[in-house]
Amino acid sequence: MIQQEPLSQGKNATIFNSILDTIGNTPLVRLNKVTQKVRGNILAKVEYFNPGNSVKDRMAIRMIEEAERSGVLKPGGTIIESTSGNTGMGIAIASAVKGYKCIFTMADKQSQEKINILRSVGAEVVVCPTNVSPEDPRSYYSMARKFNAEIPNSFYTNQYDNMANSLAHYETTGPEIWEQTGGSVTHYVACVGTGGTLCGAAQFLREKNKNISVIGIDTYGSVFKKYKETGIFDENEIYPYLTEGFGEDILPKNVNFNIIDSFIKVTDKDAALMARRLSKEEGLFVGWSSGSVVHGALEYAETHMKDTDTMVVLLPDHGTRYIHKIYSDNWMKDHGFLDARMKITAQDIILNRKTDKHITTIQKSNTVAFAISLFNKEGFSQIPVMDNGQIVGSITETKLLNKFINNPEIKKLTVGEIMDPPFQFVGLNTTVDVLASLINKDTKALLVRDIKEDIYIITEHDILLALM
């Protein structure tokens, strides 16, 4: 091997020893056009300036270095992670420099661009189904743990519960924001997936000023907002959504709910449209979740910000990850996100109803006889079942009739003794063709929660009318 002499740097020369030394110190940029209707200063922390084009570079290198120091990760080892793409990219870059192998598990909803990018930097990518529980052996969490158990000299970074994640942002992102704003920051906003980006930086900022407001951005189909507000992990909150990189069906250890003041949920559509606005109006070619952050931040700012306030919103990644999704007009139209060829959504169905829009429910403790009378009185064909304020099941007129014919004595039982599983929740912007595909002999209705947290039911009849 040829021994290279160290370069003699001139007075103004700056040479980094590797690409890893360029992580961090990303710019803070004022938003000017999309913020015209709100008060105060809205500043964007633009994380696509990191070498892997995302905020995840920060915690990727921190988790690896911590594992090296502890001896868990040894030379020539294999790093395994379950990722939505950006953490994988950060780990892959660090691994290329440090000489590790990588295996990443990803949910099948992630963009093809993310998969291609990871493979291009030498990582092995295993694509897993999205719509399974975290405990399912097919889930991308379970598959990562399986590989870690089977592959010698491997290390599962586990960004969700590895506290080096939050520590990275406590040590870098938070101090940068404080210094760049001269300590004038009053609000910090970021989307929440693993929780490290929001909570790590927020912890540092709160130590500098305990009055700084910390706002988490969540998505419909994720459990965070309701858990923060009620302390209840409600599985009915979990349903498929399109936005990538944040929101969860688990509670990662890096999510410190005590440091988060409130959550705002943002729909897939609103996030996609805002991302495109940031590109066209601010010159910031950002990813989908960046649109979520800014849309939610502006919603919050409308009612909470003063002229003298300074809000920092963190933009996680770059638009190149989503070329064939939100930056494709055809994809946007096919999903009902653009006016041309707009498709009817669950929200449209609710808003266009001429009858009462609110849901009618029955208690788990009510008798079957009462349920039968309710069907007769209201003319419904299906009713959600409640217990302690939560939807815990469902009953349908057809199934109840079949059970009653076989055994008339069931009228003395409680609804809880004969009910079926709850109806599936869907997102507000789920298009009518997707709604129709979800209705079958076992699923006779769907539920949707609006931005005010009110719940509505969508039936076969509603979908049929929408398709006409």
Side-chain angles (χ1 to χ4, degrees), residues 186-290:
T186 57
H187 298 74
Y188 173 52
V189 187
C191 54
V192 181
T194 66
T197 302
L198 181 71
C199 299
Q203 182 181 344
F204 176 89
L205 294 172
R206 278 279 178 81
E207 290 176 4
K208 291 294 187 179
N209 178 1
K210 65 180 181 180
N211 295 317
I212 290 175
S213 297
V214 178
I215 313 303
I217 303 301
D218 198 13
T219 184
Y220 290 89
S222 169
V223 299
F224 291 140
K225 187 174 189 292
K226 183 165 186 177
Y227 186 83
K228 167 65 180 177
E229 295 171 353
T230 68
I232 297 171
F233 182 89
D234 186 356
E235 292 187 354
N236 291 321
E237 293 284 309
I238 301 169
Y239 53 83
Y241 55 91
L242 297 173
T243 316
E244 302 175 24
F246 74 108
E248 281 299 338
D249 53 1
I250 58 174
L251 298 176
K253 290 181 181 178
N254 277 287
V255 182
N256 180 358
F257 288 94
N258 293 326
I259 209 168
I260 303 171
D261 293 305
S262 61
F263 279 93
I264 294 177
K265 284 198 174 189
V266 178
T267 67
D268 296 329
K269 177 181 177 180
D270 287 337
L273 293 176
M274 179 56 73
R276 288 168 68 111
R277 284 191 65 192
L278 290 168
S279 176
K280 292 180 180 179
E281 298 177 35
E282 304 283 357
L284 292 167
F285 189 45
V286 292
W288 201 344
S289 57
S290 297

Side-chain angles (χ1 to χ4, degrees), residues 316-365:
D317 69 356
H318 197 257
T320 49
R321 309 283 207 264
Y322 312 93
I323 293 294
H324 292 100
K325 285 193 172 182
I326 64 170
Y327 290 109
S328 163
D329 286 350
N330 287 336
W331 187 94
M332 291 285 285
K333 291 171 184 176
D334 287 343
H335 287 78
F337 291 176
L338 292 181
D339 291 338
R341 290 197 288 146
M342 180 70 78
K343 291 188 177 182
I344 296 172
T345 65
Q347 185 174 35
D348 296 326
I349 291 174
I350 293 167
L351 294 175
N352 292 335
R353 281 182 183 157
K354 296 179 181 179
T355 56
D356 182 22
K357 299 181 176 67
H358 291 91
I359 194 171
T360 296
T361 62
I362 191 169
Q363 293 298 312
K364 181 181 177 181
S365 58

Side-chain angles (χ1 to χ4, degrees), residues 383-414:
I383 303 176
V385 180
M386 303 286 290
D387 185 41
N388 294 323
Q390 303 298 312
I391 295 177
V392 296
S394 65
I395 53 173
T396 61
E397 188 176 40
T398 302
K399 289 185 178 181
L400 185 56
L401 175 61
N402 291 334
K403 292 176 182 178
F404 186 76
I405 290 173
N406 292 329
N407 179 17
E409 292 301 311
I410 68 165
K411 66 182 180 181
K412 300 176 183 178
L413 301 177
T414 65

Side-chain angles (χ1 to χ4, degrees), residues 7-10 12-18 21:
L7 289 171
S8 176
Q9 297 190 28
N12 297 317
T14 301
I15 299 174
F16 296 101
N17 290 324
S18 80
D21 292 335

Side-chain angles (χ1 to χ4, degrees), residues 19 22 47 78 84 132 138 145 151 221 321 329 375 388:
I19 194 65
T22 69
E47 288 296 294
T78 300
S84 61
V132 295
R138 298 168 296 168
R145 288 191 290 268
I151 298 173
R321 309 283 207 264
D329 286 350
F375 277 126
N388 294 323

